[in-house]
Every structure is written in C-alpha cells, then in structure tokens.
Amino acid sequence: MKEVYGKQCLARCITFRWRQRYDAGHVNIKYLPCPGQVHVVTNSAKISAVNELIRQNRRISTRQIAVELSISKGTVHHIIHKKLGYGKVCAQRVPKHLSENRKTVRMGVCMTQLFLS
C-alpha cells in the first residue's frame, strides 16, 4: 500500500484501531467526540469580575484572580487576553496605547535608571 499511496498511506495502528471499533459495533463513519479539555465557558459576570480585579490592582496575577473568583487559570487567561484584550508590560497590565505625557514620564524614569547604574 505504501508503494501505491506513498506518504498518504494510513499507518497500520490506525487500521487496527478502526477494525477494533468495527468489531465493537461502531459502524458509524463519523468521528466520535474525543474526551479532553472542556471548552472555556465564560459569561458577562465572570468577565466583569476579572476586569474589576485588574482595575483595582494592575499587578495581580492570573493565579490570584483564579483563586479569588474560584475559576481555572486557563479561563482567567482566556478572559484577560481574548475577551478583555489586555497585555502585560513590565508585570503590569496596561492598555496598548499610551498618551504623550505618559510616554515622556516613562522615558524620564528609564533615563534616570541608566544614570544611576
């Protein structure tokens, strides 16, 4: 079969697995749902609670948020990055765009750190 089909040939273990399923009575050719990680389910209450915690303390970690709200770290990560669109800069969650005044202040802090070291 490898000579005829080349790289597109099925592995022997897959054909054996299909045969075992057929012998067990599974004659449907559609894929069965695989066990695995549950899809992340979020609602507006969880999203607003995470947003409120971040606004109170921008240095809060995902683990602390997960413990506070009794949800998984993966769900917290999904809410922060996908739903709220936050990113992390220097261990602090900040909006993506800074005003000119904030840029000047940050530049001044960086310059003083260079001269002190």
Side-chain angles (χ1 to χ4, degrees):
M1 288 193 46
K2 286 189 178 185
E3 292 175 7
V4 176
Y5 293 108
K7 290 184 178 181
Q8 295 180 352
C9 182
L10 290 174
R12 289 181 64 194
C13 63
I14 293 175
T15 57
F16 290 143
R17 192 176 305 139
W18 285 358
R19 176 62 190 217
Q20 286 175 346
R21 287 181 186 166
Y22 180 78
D23 290 342
H26 296 234
V27 293
N28 192 354
I29 61 172
K30 293 184 179 180
Y31 288 106
L32 298 173
C34 297
Q37 186 175 6
V38 180
H39 294 287
V40 176
V41 178
T42 58
N43 56 23
S44 59
K46 288 181 186 177
I47 294 171
S48 62
V50 170
N51 193 24
E52 188 62 34
L53 285 174
I54 290 173
R55 288 186 180 276
Q56 289 173 2
N57 179 10
R58 291 194 180 266
R59 293 184 183 268
I60 193 168
S61 68
T62 54
R63 178 175 288 157
Q64 290 169 337
I65 294 172
V67 168
E68 183 89 17
L69 299 177
S70 301
I71 55 178
S72 70
K73 287 190 315 183
T75 303
V76 172
H77 185 269
H78 176 77
I79 290 171
I80 290 172
H81 293 283
K82 301 291 183 188
K83 299 291 184 180
L84 296 175
Y86 283 124
K88 235 177 179 190
V89 178
C90 296
Q92 184 176 6
R93 298 190 193 284
V94 296
K96 296 189 181 214
H97 302 289
L98 294 175
S99 66
E100 290 300 321
N101 294 338
R102 295 300 298 163
K103 287 180 187 178
T104 306
V105 169
R106 284 186 183 221
M107 183 70 94
V109 169
C110 291
M111 296 304 281
T112 56
Q113 292 297 324
L114 285 174
F115 291 120
L116 292 177
S117 34

